[in-house]
Amino acid sequence: MSVPAGEPGNLAHAAFERFLRARECREVLGCFGELCRQLGLQGSGLQLYRGLRAALNSWSAKALWSKLDKKAGHKDYDQGTACASTKCLVVGAGPCGLRAAIELALLGARVVLLEKRDSFSRNNVLHLWPFTIHDLRVLGAKKFYGRFCTGTLDHISIRQLQLILLKVALLLGVEVHVNVQFKGLVPPVGKAGGQGGWRAVLQPGSSPLSNYEFDVLISAGGGKFVPEGFKRKETRGKLAIGITTNFINRHSRAEVEVAEISGVARIYNQKFFQNLYNKTGIDLENIVYYKDDTHYFVMTAKKQSLIKKGVILQDKADIESLLSPENVNRDALLSYAKEAANFSTSYRLPELEFALNHRDLPDVDMFDFTCMTRSENAALVREHNGARLLLGLVGDCLVEPFWPLGTGVARGFLAAFDAAWMVRRWAAGTPPLEVLAERESIYQHLSQTSPDNTNKNISQYSIDPATRYPNINLQAIKPSQVRDLYLVGMVEVDHKRKSDSRLSTAVSGDAYEELLSWCQASTAGYRGVTVTNFTTSWTSGLALCALVHHFRPDLVDLGSVDPQDPIRTHQMMLDAAEQELGIQPVLSSAEMAAMAEPSRLGLITYLSQFYEAFKTSPEAEELSKKPLSPRGTRGAILFLSKLQKNRNLAHKRVQDSAQKDAEAKRSRRDMELDAGLDGDTPDGAREPPQTAAADPGQPPSHGDSSDACYFCNRRVYILERASAEGRFFHRSCFQCQRCGATLRLGDYAFHEEDGHFYCSLHSPNPPGMELPQDEPPALPEGGAAVARPPSNAGRPCVSPKEGAPNPPQPPLAAPQPRTEPGAAGDEDAEDTVDVEEQELLAQPGGDAREQEGPGAEPRGAAEEGEEGRGRRKIILTPLEKLKLSTLNLLTTEAEPEPPPKPARLRLQAAPEALPALWREQGIWEEDEETAMEKEALEESDSEEEEEEEEEGTDLDIMAESCLDLGEEEKYPTWKRTLTRRAREAQMKRFCKAQAIQRRLEEIEVTFGELEQQGIKLEKLLRDEDGNPADQKTQWMNQLLYLVQKKNSLMSEESDLMIAVQELKLEEQQWQLDQKLRCYMNMEESLKTPEDCVAEQEILVQLLEVVNKRNVLIHIQEEKRLSELRA
């Protein structure tokens, strides 16, 4: 219905359109105020929304009302009456505060929101989980921001997100007040005095809101603002310095064609970061690049790199002083960030110009995220003079997010829903303790939530936690457990940080005597073994042999043990315990054979590992007569020990083979020389030199003392002692000889010739991942075809050549016809970012749906002719290559025609072997059926949006997205689906890597704390002063408790390192798949013979990586089964 010009309705519609397009906070508030004046509307809440809906009937308004009406009609809101008598105050207009305010308004509450600023200036970009994208679409996000999550975009700038949510909140009747700061609470003085409710202390004090009384306070004021009564706990990692930077995005074609980086981490892609360091001197742990209103980069930089590049002027121990403005060269910081951005995008972003922040300065920031804090509880209730106040936390003040995980806004929205559900329960008259208990039960799930472990049907999400968290127990915490969260009267705030005294108070019982009794019982009945102490009873080595034989008789041949050679006996048992049980040595074999009093502490520490690994109840020991395997505490360490052993064996075989070849050549030369010379040559001159490997029974010489660090020669105390390859050292000294990277068990290389340790990237002989020779192979040898591939076995395989160190890119790059991805061993290739893999899918590369040519049948016949040969060539038709390249990625909508015949693969597997393995290994990290459901849901939403906008749309809003949409539409749906899923897989891999990295750093810090306490105790125990025996026993028990904590952390660290191995293989498989895809998308007529050879090589490498992942799964399954048996 049209409205004549000049009529009030026409002016109101114009004001509404200006409100939709407003791009600043003050502009939004001004336009909304003008709109309400034009329509003569006052008040707040859903009554205001209904007035706006009745007065505005343009097509854009109707489309928005349709969405909001559908949202408001959900049963949880009871038609806007669930909280009709509740008054809420929300502090903070960040995304989480606004989202919580919207839910409270939909429940019918009166909602007042305070924000101390009057502008939204944060350009930084947030990663959005699928449910957050869907949630914002339901709220009409595309009506306010036409470019919202178009195509494969899954992120948005904080500023744009705040603007969207602010507009929705205003339309739903939320009262928003800017330039008002919350400073505290004013308890009620009593209902008799006329002031019966809780009020806020505000700045400025003249604000009319100072008299606003409320019964619910939701704090979303950020990590530095937490209301009184909430306790915080902190997790600390190693020093972590983040850098964020924003560059102007002009939305040019050249900028559109640069691929985003969903995340690349050093932990699984060392080569990229080493390349960056070699070329620029910039040393990073990770980097992310998103395009939105700006080009947004965020990275974690190493301190030494910042110092060398002149960004940090002086190294200081205090983090706050280290990053203070006085100690930072701003120009050097800008140069550092710009150089990292240029390198990571292959210098393809034209004319990088910094965007400006709210202070009109280049938008570059350096921050510390070493410490992460979270609240111990999510809510509490305060009561004063009979008036109750419900307080809840959302956003950063509830859980401070770890930015590389991209979880901040997603978990923030979940917490906002949880808080709204709590308020609904509160308004329904549920007893306060029950409300608090349920809220804390839900809060337990928040830190572990991810897109993988929340409910898959995101269209059903609501404030009801049962719709979001599968199998949640809302009564996990009982009301009696949260009585301390119900505070009566005034709250006394204790600003002093309590020290953690758990380590000194948690020790109970006599661990020393318990360990001695266990050793005596386990070695009873063995000839020549009598355990009475932790010194002389163990010198011969027989007691240790008996202990191991008791639990694992297959590891010890007691008849071959020589009591006269204790050093050899001890070395044999140390090696067996390390390689077969995952128990690391603490003393050398010579020290154990001598067993002087100073070594007693080391022996006790060593034996405590056996105790933890094999201690069982008497009933379990009677039931099981099988050899016991270490329980979960040692299983991961055992796995990494075997992995490292197999790597070393492979390395040694390569070295021995090379040495034998060299000796054979030298012998032939000597014989030829002798034949041409007169006179005799001594026989010994022609004998090859004897090597240490000539006598495999002789134990290697590892040094006689475990007290001196192998690297720095300083004293190594028991708690700070680590060992590898028979060397003892400080954990902090275990670094790569070349790059100084921290090394960990199962992820290092040792070079016996020079005695140095290396990371896998700088190993003189890059290690492979092999199984022992007695393990079953994954695929048949010799290339013989079988009916179906085995499911969980692996065969020894050679590490493939690694490609150029590229950050993850979209997978559908148009290949350059003469590029040779297979030639990756070249040094120049290692030092240059491969432009081919960074080509964006915006560049047209021709239609990839090549038709099956007439030569397909002769090709197949040629394959049949090669059936009996030892090595067989893979020959695929163009259509088969396309199907292989898009394996497991297409939806039924994208490919309606019947599936083609399976690809004919002739490489050590049956025709269906490779696809089956790819599916089995979960190459795309996503269940196909679930992915199809999610995509169908997202596509239906997208289609709904497009249909509405086709009815007529605001050209100004849509103009922003025309370029991106135009580029996307050049490609069929299956390509966009492929790209989106590849991005999701990259993001999952990156998030997992960053979570692992963070936890490893936290473990490292905890190790340091344990080591300091252990050093003190060890010094006290070694002190010859006349300390009472009872005091020494107590110290010994405390030391054993610390050892137990250390062993537990080592086990967790080993589990994480196994996950690192998985990530590395996933990354290798992904990179090889991209290269293979490039060749498969090329027309056959354009391929050179070199291209065909390179394509075959990549297929071979890809199968080898699949085999390696198979090996990993096989050993992990063995580990899991052994833990179950134990």
Side-chain angles (χ1 to χ4, degrees):
M1 183 171 86
S2 62
V3 181
E7 293 292 328
N10 191 45
L11 295 175
H13 283 96
F16 181 70
E17 294 301 323
R18 288 195 296 274
F19 169 74
L20 291 180
R21 290 194 298 266
R23 298 175 62 86
E24 299 292 339
C25 176
R26 288 187 295 268
E27 184 184 2
V28 170
L29 295 173
C31 290
F32 187 75
E34 180 187 352
L35 174 64
C36 291
R37 286 192 297 272
Q38 290 284 350
L39 298 175
L41 296 175
Q42 295 181 348
S44 61
L46 292 178
Q47 192 63 37
L48 175 63
Y49 167 70
R50 296 185 182 107
L52 290 168
R53 183 182 59 185
L56 299 171
N57 56 6
S58 66
W59 69 265
S60 56
K62 284 183 177 179
L64 184 56
W65 304 146
S66 174
K67 283 193 165 291
L68 294 180
D69 284 348
K70 184 178 179 181
K71 175 71 175 176
H74 195 279
K75 63 179 182 179
D76 288 344
Y77 305 123
D78 290 340
Q79 298 299 318
T81 62
C83 299
S85 60
T86 304
K87 291 192 248 183
C88 304
L89 179 68
V90 179
V91 180
C96 299
L98 286 165
R99 192 65 191 86
I102 290 171
E103 290 301 324
L104 295 173
L106 288 168
L107 286 165
R110 181 186 177 186
V111 185
V112 174
L113 185 143
L114 306 180
E115 172 55 46
K116 63 181 180 181
R117 303 181 183 88
D118 62 357
S119 64
F120 298 152
S121 58
R122 290 185 286 176
N123 292 315
N124 294 352
V125 177
L126 298 172
H127 171 68
L128 300 178
W129 291 3
F131 97 84
T132 51
I133 295 175
H134 179 267
D135 178 65
L136 291 166
R137 280 178 175 160
V138 168
L139 294 176
K142 287 183 73 71
K143 306 304 176 187
F144 307 108
Y145 183 49
R147 295 184 64 249
F148 174 74
C149 287
T150 54
T152 60
L153 294 181
D154 58 357
H155 47 75
I156 189 173
S157 69
I158 298 176
R159 189 178 67 84
Q160 284 292 353
L161 181 57
Q162 285 178 283
L163 288 172
I164 291 170
L165 294 174
L166 174 62
K167 293 172 184 179
V168 175
L170 290 171
L171 292 174
L172 293 175
V174 176
E175 303 173 49
V176 180
H177 298 264
V178 296
N179 295 320
V180 179
Q181 188 171 3
F182 179 87
K183 305 297 287 185
L185 289 168
V186 179
V189 296
K191 294 184 179 179
Q195 294 183 346
W198 290 78
R199 293 178 293 118
V201 179
L202 303 176
Q203 187 179 2
S206 59
S207 172
L209 292 174
S210 297
N211 295 319
Y212 174 60
E213 295 181 356
F214 49 89
D215 46 19
V216 173
L217 172 66
I218 302 296
S219 173
K224 295 183 179 179
F225 172 75
V226 180
E228 295 177 353
F230 287 92
K231 297 177 181 179
R232 309 282 286 173
K233 58 183 177 182
E234 178 184 279
T235 59
R236 178 178 291 273
K238 294 170 67 177
L239 176 64
I241 301 174
I243 297 176
T244 60
T245 181
N246 287 275
F247 299 97
I248 294 174
N249 188 353
R250 299 176 179 84
H251 301 285
S252 66
R253 174 174 290 277
E255 291 171 297
V256 168
E257 291 178 350
V258 178
E260 294 182 332
I261 304 174
S262 297
V264 59
R266 176 185 291 271
I267 200 169
Y268 60 79
N269 195 341
Q270 282 181 291
K271 187 169 288 187
F272 169 73
F273 292 98
Q274 189 63 38
N275 214 12
L276 171 65
Y277 179 75
N278 292 340
K279 285 193 170 292
T280 65
I282 293 174
D283 203 3
L284 302 179
E285 288 289 348
N286 52 51
I287 189 167
V288 174
Y289 162 50
Y290 285 143
K291 276 181 290 189
D292 206 84
D293 287 345
T294 61
H295 295 287
Y296 169 69
F297 292 83
V298 59
M299 61 202 81
T300 303
K302 293 189 176 182
K303 182 179 72 170
Q304 291 303 320
S305 169
L306 293 170
I307 293 174
K308 289 180 181 179
K309 297 287 284 186
V311 177
I312 294 177
L313 302 179
Q314 292 183 354
D315 190 2
K316 298 183 179 181
D318 179 58
I319 299 176
E320 189 172 343
S321 301
L322 181 74
L323 301 182
S324 64
E326 299 79 19
N327 197 41
V328 174
N329 184 330
R330 186 76 182 171
D331 292 335
L333 176 60
L334 300 182
S335 175
Y336 191 97
K338 191 171 185 177
E339 201 168 3
N342 270 322
F343 182 90
S344 61
T345 56
S346 296
Y347 300 89
R348 295 177 59 199
L349 283 176
E351 301 177 15
L352 278 182
E353 181 180 347
F354 288 102
L356 300 181
N357 58 22
H358 62 285
R359 294 188 295 270
D360 290 330
L361 296 173
D363 194 357
V364 180
D365 188 28
M366 187 162 62
F367 60 97
D368 162 52
F369 60 99
T370 302
C371 300
M372 311 299 295
T373 59
R374 57 174 292 156
S375 177
E376 291 187 359
N377 51 287
L380 56 85
V381 172
R382 292 187 61 180
E383 181 181 335
H384 191 79
N385 287 336
R388 292 172 176 169
L389 174 67
L390 176 65
L391 294 93
L393 305 180
V394 298
D396 290 3
C397 62
L398 179 63
V399 178
E400 194 172 5
F402 181 48
W403 72 260
L405 299 185
T407 58
V409 69
R411 290 178 180 167
F413 276 25
L414 291 173
F417 299 159
D418 296 337
W421 179 258
M422 174 183 68
V423 175
R424 185 183 189 278
R425 297 272 290 158
W426 175 266
T430 306
L433 288 180
E434 290 186 19
V435 173
L436 292 173
E438 184 177 273
R439 180 68 188 96
E440 297 309 311
S441 298
I442 299 170
Y443 180 43
Q444 287 184 325
H445 290 258
L446 187 63
S447 294
Q448 285 76 41
T449 54
S450 70
D452 294 327
N453 59 23
T454 48
N455 282 332
K456 298 296 183 281
N457 193 355
I458 58 178
S459 63
Q460 299 301 314
Y461 279 21
S462 72
I463 60 174
D464 185 351
T467 64
R468 293 173 279 119
Y469 308 113
N471 305 318
I472 187 171
N473 180 9
L474 297 179
Q475 283 79 43
I477 294 179
K478 306 301 180 185
S480 59
Q481 297 176 265
V482 295
R483 293 186 186 278
D484 59 326
L485 301 181
Y486 193 101
L487 309 179
V488 180
M490 301 301 293
V491 176
E492 295 183 5
V493 182
D494 183 10
H495 296 286
K496 296 181 180 179
R497 185 181 300 274
K498 295 182 179 180
S499 60
D500 186 2
S501 59
R502 289 174 295 173
L503 293 176
S504 59
T505 61
V507 180
S508 60
D510 194 337
Y512 176 87
E513 290 298 332
E514 186 176 350
L515 177 62
L516 181 59
S517 299
W518 179 80
C519 290
Q520 290 171 337
S522 300
T523 58
Y526 283 88
R527 187 173 57 184
V529 177
T530 303
V531 175
T532 58
N533 54 39
F534 287 114
T535 51
T536 56
S537 299
W538 301 85
T539 54
S540 67
L542 295 179
L544 186 58
C545 291
L547 183 65
V548 174
H549 185 271
H550 179 75
F551 297 104
R552 288 291 303 272
D554 57 308
L555 298 182
V556 185
D557 181 7
L558 293 178
S560 64
V561 175
D562 183 5
Q564 305 303 318
D565 192 354
I567 294 180
R568 185 188 184 90
T569 300
H570 277 295
Q571 188 61 56
M572 179 179 66
M573 298 316 303
L574 289 174
D575 292 340
E578 182 176 12
Q579 296 168 5
E580 301 297 335
L581 304 177
I583 295 177
Q584 302 297 304
V586 178
L587 299 170
S588 68
S589 56
E591 288 173 317
M592 294 190 71
M595 199 47 65
E597 183 65 24
S599 300
R600 185 173 69 101
L601 295 178
L603 177 64
I604 293 172
T605 303
Y606 183 60
L607 295 176
S608 69
Q609 298 181 69
F610 287 90
Y611 178 71
E612 292 169 26
F614 290 117
K615 187 182 85 166
T616 58
S617 62
E619 296 81 4
E621 196 168 357
E622 285 297 324
L623 289 174
S624 178
K625 298 299 183 182
K626 298 179 180 179
L628 295 177
S629 297
R631 296 183 296 176
T633 53
R634 314 305 306 175
I637 300 176
L638 171 59
F639 166 72
L640 290 179
S641 296
K642 285 191 172 184
L643 177 61
Q644 195 67 54
K645 173 187 175 184
N646 296 329
R647 284 175 169 170
N648 293 343
L649 288 174
H651 181 198
K652 192 170 184 61
R653 282 197 295 269
V654 171
Q655 288 181 319
D656 291 346
S657 177
Q659 186 173 5
K660 288 179 181 178
D661 290 343
E663 290 172 356
K665 290 179 181 179
R666 189 184 308 114
S667 178
R668 283 196 298 270
R669 283 199 306 267
D670 290 345
M671 292 175 65
E672 292 170 0
L673 184 62
D674 289 344
L677 291 177
D678 295 327
D680 295 331
T681 302
D683 294 339
R686 290 196 296 268
E687 292 180 2
Q690 296 296 320
T691 63
D695 182 9
Q698 182 65 28
S701 175
H702 299 323
D704 295 332
S705 176
S706 61
D707 287 340
C709 176
Y710 177 72
F711 299 102
C712 68
N713 289 321
R714 292 199 300 269
R715 175 67 178 270
V716 186
Y717 291 93
I718 289 173
L719 258 293
E720 58 181 358
R721 190 174 299 173
S723 66
E725 307 298 328
R727 279 75 175 172
F728 299 92
F729 42 79
H730 301 97
R731 286 178 55 87
S732 57
C733 292
F734 195 32
Q735 298 177 348
C736 174
Q737 176 68 17
R738 281 192 58 185
C739 67
T742 299
L743 301 178
R744 291 184 172 89
L745 181 65
D747 195 27
Y748 69 86
F750 179 66
H751 200 241
E752 291 191 7
E753 284 75 7
D754 59 18
H756 292 150
F757 290 85
Y758 299 91
C759 64
S760 57
L761 183 64
H762 294 124
S763 170
N765 296 89
M769 183 186 296
E770 296 196 358
L771 276 178
Q773 294 301 312
D774 57 350
E775 298 288 353
L779 294 174
E781 297 295 337
V786 293
R788 59 185 181 184
S791 60
N792 63 346
R795 66 170 179 83
C797 46
V798 182
S799 178
K801 299 178 184 178
E802 297 213 47
N806 301 309
Q809 302 295 339
L812 293 172
Q816 301 298 326
R818 298 297 180 263
T819 307
E820 297 185 23
D826 186 74
E827 285 296 321
D828 292 333
E830 291 187 2
D831 291 338
T832 306
V833 176
D834 192 355
V835 177
E836 174 195 298
E837 290 193 11
Q838 303 209 12
E839 292 292 334
L840 184 66
L841 99 151
Q843 293 183 346
D847 189 2
R849 296 171 180 253
E850 301 175 31
Q851 299 298 320
E852 191 166 2
E857 288 304 319
R859 230 175 245 155
E863 283 180 310
E864 296 297 324
E866 294 178 358
E867 188 77 37
R869 301 183 187 177
R871 180 179 177 124
R872 290 172 183 156
K873 186 178 180 182
I874 300 174
I875 303 177
L876 304 175
T877 66
L879 183 59
E880 289 171 339
K881 291 180 180 180
L882 176 62
K883 295 302 180 185
L884 182 59
S885 69
T886 58
L887 188 63
N888 255 2
L889 292 173
L890 304 185
T891 62
T892 54
E893 292 85 351
E895 290 292 340
E897 66 270 17
K901 296 179 182 179
R904 295 184 289 274
L905 299 179
R906 302 279 181 181
L907 184 66
Q908 297 188 5
E912 70 275 21
L914 186 56
L917 280 173
W918 281 10
R919 285 193 296 269
E920 180 182 88
Q921 304 302 332
I923 181 173
W924 300 111
E925 299 297 328
E926 184 173 23
D927 181 78
E928 186 178 11
E929 188 174 325
T930 301
M932 291 170 62
E933 291 175 359
K934 184 177 73 174
E935 184 188 349
L937 178 61
E938 293 178 1
E939 287 181 354
S940 66
D941 285 340
S942 180
E943 289 170 2
E944 179 184 350
E945 297 283 353
E946 290 170 1
E947 288 173 2
E948 291 174 0
E949 293 185 2
E950 283 174 1
E951 296 173 3
T953 184
D954 188 296
L955 297 179
D956 292 336
I957 295 177
M958 288 304 295
E960 300 178 14
S961 59
C962 282
L963 179 60
D964 290 344
L965 288 175
E967 298 295 333
E968 293 274 344
E969 288 169 358
K970 291 182 181 180
Y971 297 92
T973 303
W974 70 267
K975 276 194 176 182
R976 295 200 297 271
T977 301
L978 186 69
T979 303
R980 180 172 66 250
R981 297 211 179 150
R983 286 167 55 85
E984 289 172 358
Q986 292 168 19
M987 176 55 69
K988 286 182 181 179
R989 187 159 56 247
F990 177 72
C991 290
K992 186 175 181 180
Q994 294 312 115
I996 291 171
Q997 183 67 34
R998 175 69 186 185
R999 183 55 189 151
L1000 287 173
E1001 292 173 353
E1002 291 174 357
I1003 288 174
E1004 200 65 36
V1005 171
T1006 307
F1007 267 131
E1009 296 171 354
L1010 292 175
E1011 288 168 2
Q1012 292 303 313
Q1013 297 179 60
I1015 291 172
K1016 293 179 181 178
L1017 287 172
E1018 187 174 347
K1019 288 180 177 178
L1020 290 172
L1021 287 168
R1022 290 181 184 272
D1023 191 359
E1024 297 299 333
D1025 293 344
N1027 294 305
D1030 292 345
Q1031 181 66 63
K1032 286 198 171 187
T1033 300
Q1034 183 180 355
W1035 289 337
M1036 177 62 71
N1037 290 335
Q1038 290 180 1
L1039 182 64
L1040 287 175
Y1041 174 75
L1042 295 180
V1043 169
Q1044 181 184 1
K1045 295 279 288 183
K1046 176 188 174 182
N1047 293 339
S1048 177
L1049 288 174
M1050 286 182 63
S1051 177
E1052 184 182 358
E1053 182 183 54
S1054 299
D1055 281 325
L1056 294 173
M1057 292 309 300
I1058 293 174
V1060 169
Q1061 300 294 335
E1062 291 182 290
L1063 287 176
K1064 288 182 176 180
L1065 290 175
E1066 286 177 24
E1067 177 70 11
Q1068 288 180 32
Q1069 186 167 335
W1070 185 87
Q1071 291 182 358
L1072 288 169
D1073 183 73
Q1074 307 317 303
K1075 294 181 180 182
L1076 181 63
R1077 219 175 285 275
C1078 291
Y1079 283 107
M1080 287 185 169
N1081 288 341
M1082 291 174 63
E1083 294 185 10
E1084 291 294 326
S1085 59
L1086 297 179
K1087 290 184 182 179
T1088 65
E1090 291 79 8
D1091 292 333
C1092 295
V1093 171
E1095 183 177 358
Q1096 301 302 317
E1097 289 179 354
I1098 293 172
L1099 271 173
V1100 173
Q1101 293 175 12
L1102 188 57
L1103 188 56
E1104 287 176 347
V1105 172
V1106 171
N1107 274 332
K1108 289 183 180 183
R1109 295 188 69 182
N1110 213 24
V1111 168
L1112 200 62
I1113 291 173
H1114 173 79
I1115 301 182
Q1116 284 184 291
E1117 181 65 12
E1118 287 296 319
K1119 166 180 168 286
R1120 186 185 67 84
L1121 293 175
S1122 68
E1123 291 172 359
L1124 290 177
R1125 288 193 297 266

